[in-house]
Amino acid sequence: MRTSRIRTTALAAVTAALALGLTACGGADGDSKASAGDKTAATAQNQAASNQDGKDSTQQTNSTGEKATGGSDEVTSKDAAVGAQQCVGDEMLVTAVHRFAGQQGDHLLITASNQGTKPCWVTSYPAVRLGDDSLELPHSKKDNPGGDKRITLQPGSKVYSAVNLFDYGSKNQTAQGLALALRGTDGHESPYYSVVMKGQNQKFTWTEADVLNWNTKKPYDF
């Protein structure tokens, strides 16, 4: 009887020990699976964050590239203006048209076109002599400010000026031609050359006259 009880007790102890061991193994496997799951989720989150960072970085790079391209265009335009030389008579086609003859606003519209192959600039107002008069016309006191700026002309581009004609009915002069010279930034005049008159009414009369600055828009363009 004692031997049977001892064996029974021993078997019960072994069975309990095995059960505890299995329970411990099961708990360990659960923890391991949970840990693996956590690591997988964390890896997925890291990859998603990395992909998003990559997209943001790409977008920022593209945005910066677009701005850089626009800036390059502006710099190129400025560089072209800086590298331009002063316009000279040989590269310019200058014409004049008599407008509003005998009316209020009577003037000669002067148009200068860059016929060269490179950009060039003009500034201030042209030096003008009417007919055979050797006197240079003054700058108009009613002109808009800004005549000290350079206007860069690309090949084929045009600028405009005007000679205002005032006829008071006495002590006036009459002509149908004029001569013009371009000015530098220091006010120095280049050589004079004849201007081509256009239009039907080429003869004009004046008692007094003055000149407007060069402009990219036509003056008195009513």
Side-chain angles (χ1 to χ4, degrees), residues 134-154:
S134 60
L135 296 178
E136 180 182 306
L137 297 180
H139 178 229
S140 174
K141 296 180 179 179
K142 297 181 180 180
D143 199 2
N144 295 324
D148 56 342
K149 296 181 180 179
R150 294 182 181 183
I151 300 177
T152 300
L153 296 177
Q154 299 297 327

Side-chain angles (χ1 to χ4, degrees), residues 99 107 109-112 143-144 151 153 157-162 212-222:
R99 303 179 68 201
H107 69 279
L109 174 65
I110 299 176
T111 303
D143 199 2
N144 295 324
I151 300 177
L153 296 177
S157 297
K158 299 177 181 180
V159 288
Y160 306 93
S161 177
L212 298 180
N213 289 322
W214 291 115
N215 201 310
T216 55
K217 297 181 179 180
K218 291 181 180 180
Y220 311 120
D221 191 19
F222 307 128

Side-chain angles (χ1 to χ4, degrees), residues 6-7 22 37 45 49 51 57-58 61 68 132 143-144 160 162 164 195 200 202-203 205 220 222:
I6 291 171
R7 289 179 179 175
L22 291 174
Q45 290 178 356
N51 292 337
S57 177
T58 301
T61 301
D132 296 329
D143 199 2
N144 295 324
Y160 306 93
N164 299 312
V195 175
Q200 297 180 352
Q202 298 184 1
K203 183 179 292 186
T205 302
Y220 311 120
F222 307 128

Side-chain angles (χ1 to χ4, degrees), residues 13-200:
V14 170
T15 301
L18 288 174
L20 291 173
L22 291 174
T23 301
C25 290
D29 290 341
D31 293 341
S32 177
K33 291 179 180 178
S35 177
D38 293 341
K39 289 182 179 179
T40 302
T43 301
Q45 290 178 356
N46 290 338
Q47 289 178 348
S50 177
N51 292 337
Q52 184 62 35
D53 290 343
K55 291 180 181 179
D56 293 342
S57 177
T58 301
Q59 291 176 353
Q60 291 176 359
T61 301
N62 292 340
S63 176
T64 303
E66 292 174 358
K67 290 181 180 179
T69 301
S72 177
D73 291 340
E74 293 179 1
V75 171
T76 301
S77 178
K78 291 179 180 179
D79 288 345
V82 171
Q85 301 294 320
Q86 181 180 358
C87 298
V88 295
D90 295 341
E91 299 176 347
M92 302 294 288
L93 173 62
V94 182
T95 62
V97 176
H98 188 194
R99 303 179 68 201
F100 305 115
Q103 306 175 40
Q104 184 177 2
D106 191 353
H107 69 279
L108 302 176
L109 174 65
I110 299 176
T111 303
S113 174
N114 180 9
Q115 300 294 298
T117 58
K118 297 180 180 180
C120 65
W121 55 264
V122 296
T123 188
S124 189
Y125 63 98
V128 177
R129 295 174 181 173
L130 300 178
D132 296 329
D133 195 345
S134 60
L135 296 178
E136 180 182 306
L137 297 180
H139 178 229
S140 174
K141 296 180 179 179
K142 297 181 180 180
D143 199 2
N144 295 324
D148 56 342
K149 296 181 180 179
R150 294 182 181 183
I151 300 177
T152 300
L153 296 177
Q154 299 297 327
S157 297
K158 299 177 181 180
V159 288
Y160 306 93
S161 177
V163 176
N164 299 312
L165 303 171
F166 306 99
D167 184 4
Y168 302 134
S170 61
K171 297 182 180 180
N172 53 20
Q173 303 180 66
T174 300
Q176 56 182 16
L178 66 151
L180 180 146
L182 299 174
R183 298 180 188 274
T185 53
D186 58 356
H188 181 73
E189 304 165 3
S190 63
Y192 277 83
Y193 54 92
S194 298
V195 175
V196 178
M197 291 293 300
K198 289 187 173 184
Q200 297 180 352

